[in-house]
Amino acid sequence: MTERMSAEEFRAIRHEPKPSKYRNRKTVVDGIKFDSKREAQFYASLKQLERAGQVYEVELQKPYALTVNGQLVCTYRCDFAFYDAIQKRNRVVDIKGVATKDFNIKRKLMLAVYGIDVEVIR
């Protein structure tokens, strides 16, 4: 004889959170929700460097409009953009476990349109 489950039991099973596609875990630091633990760790280290005066103007999720021949192709949103006082340059950083095809195209467009080489931290 087979066991039957009630509708409530079925709904409870069906609504269990599905793991993320790349197995990353959302993490909160300073009230900011990050897509992964690695991204949150990078933010924490960046904040320490900012307190030490080694980086300035830290921006999270900064958008860049990627326009070619007057046509908006897409928008790239980096994880971190900041000025590095030690290297004396602006840096754009993205934390990636897996570099997707879309990301690779946007990275090349960032270099072509703005002359910015996006740094990838794995």
Side-chain angles (χ1 to χ4, degrees):
M1 184 165 156
T2 59
E3 288 187 36
R4 297 184 63 95
M5 70 172 71
S6 69
E8 278 184 39
E9 292 171 328
F10 177 74
R11 282 188 211 102
I13 291 171
R14 196 179 74 196
H15 286 95
E16 287 179 2
K18 194 169 96 175
S20 70
K21 186 174 182 180
Y22 298 111
R23 303 285 188 235
N24 56 332
R25 291 195 179 178
K26 301 232 184 247
T27 306
V28 177
V29 175
D30 293 342
I32 303 168
K33 191 174 193 177
F34 293 96
D35 289 333
S36 68
K37 284 171 52 175
R38 190 175 303 145
E39 197 174 321
Q41 289 169 344
F42 186 82
Y43 171 76
S45 65
L46 203 56
K47 291 303 280 185
Q48 286 180 333
L49 292 172
E50 188 176 39
R51 281 192 292 275
Q54 296 177 0
V55 298
Y56 302 97
E57 302 169 8
V58 175
E59 292 183 66
L60 308 176
Q61 301 294 312
K62 182 177 179 181
Y64 290 90
L66 298 173
T67 307
V68 178
N69 296 330
Q71 182 75 31
L72 177 66
V73 176
C74 60
T75 301
Y76 168 67
R77 192 173 300 272
C78 69
D79 289 335
F80 303 97
F82 56 93
Y83 180 77
D84 189 328
I86 294 171
Q87 296 181 14
K88 295 184 176 31
R89 66 183 182 102
N90 288 313
R91 294 175 60 191
V92 174
V93 177
D94 218 297
I95 311 297
K96 291 284 178 211
V98 176
T100 63
K101 288 181 182 180
D102 287 347
F103 170 73
N104 290 332
I105 290 169
K106 288 180 181 183
R107 185 176 183 203
K108 289 176 185 177
L109 280 168
M110 282 290 288
L111 187 57
V113 173
Y114 292 105
I116 297 172
D117 187 17
V118 177
E119 298 174 47
V120 179
I121 296 178
R122 294 198 158 98

